[in-house]
Amino acid sequence: MQARAGERDLIFLDESGFAPTMPTGYTSSRTRQRAMVPREDTKNRRVNVLGAQIVGTTPDLLWQPTCGKVDAGMLLEFVCADLAGLPGGATLELAADGLDGQMPVRARSRPCTVVLDNASAHTAKAFKGRREQLTKIGVELFYLPRAGRS
């Protein structure tokens, strides 16, 4: 209701990975002909992306390509810098969670609710443990229920 009234932003956040080479586990060929699939070097060709769909604002899609696996520190930086506002102002201390440095953030002009699934980076202590600090800068986390549970 607050999102519809323009009092709060609603943001759906997730990550995805893309590989330019398709897996060769399934293929088809003509009857009695062996399927031949050329082998391509797949090393360092995967691209991971963090993305956020923001309901009712412009721009409505924020995304960021990432190097390597998406982890809690990368997710926290994306939420603070890209969703909570441009860098500057207050900082969240990261050293307590074994992450390097500080992350510049500033409070949002209006609060937002970030909807997440239960991926390991989303539920890691280094991210989920920052719930109280995120709330102070206007970011509320909402976790979808796990599949198969009501």
Side-chain angles (χ1 to χ4, degrees):
M1 302 245 318
Q2 290 178 330
R4 284 189 187 143
E7 299 168 2
R8 171 179 290 277
D9 292 329
L10 181 60
I11 303 171
F12 296 91
L13 175 66
D14 209 355
E15 58 279 329
S16 187
F18 305 92
T21 303
M22 296 298 294
T24 59
Y26 298 98
T27 190
S28 60
S29 67
R30 292 188 171 146
T31 305
R32 293 191 176 114
Q33 286 188 351
R34 183 177 177 194
M36 299 297 290
V37 179
R39 170 132 168 59
E40 295 182 35
D41 182 21
T42 59
K43 192 173 188 175
N44 299 324
R45 293 185 63 194
R46 183 173 176 83
V47 176
N48 292 319
V49 178
L50 271 168
Q53 176 72 41
I54 306 170
V55 177
T57 65
T58 303
D60 63 349
L61 180 65
L62 290 176
W63 59 276
Q64 170 184 315
T66 66
C67 295
K69 183 180 176 184
V70 174
D71 62 13
M74 189 181 300
L75 183 64
L76 185 61
E77 184 176 347
F78 181 75
V79 168
C80 290
D82 295 316
L83 301 183
L86 298 174
T91 60
L92 293 178
E93 293 287 339
L94 301 178
D97 290 328
L99 302 172
D100 294 331
Q102 296 180 341
M103 184 174 353
V105 295
R106 68 176 168 83
R108 294 180 53 82
S109 58
R110 66 179 181 201
C112 71
T113 299
V114 178
V115 180
L116 303 155
D117 60 17
N118 290 281
S120 59
H122 301 176
T123 59
K125 182 179 179 186
F127 180 73
K128 196 172 183 178
R130 296 292 180 199
R131 231 176 169 156
E132 188 175 312
Q133 287 128 321
L134 289 169
T135 300
K136 288 179 183 177
I137 61 169
V139 178
E140 176 188 357
L141 302 180
F142 177 83
Y143 287 89
L144 295 171
R146 292 187 186 274
R149 295 183 182 177
S150 48

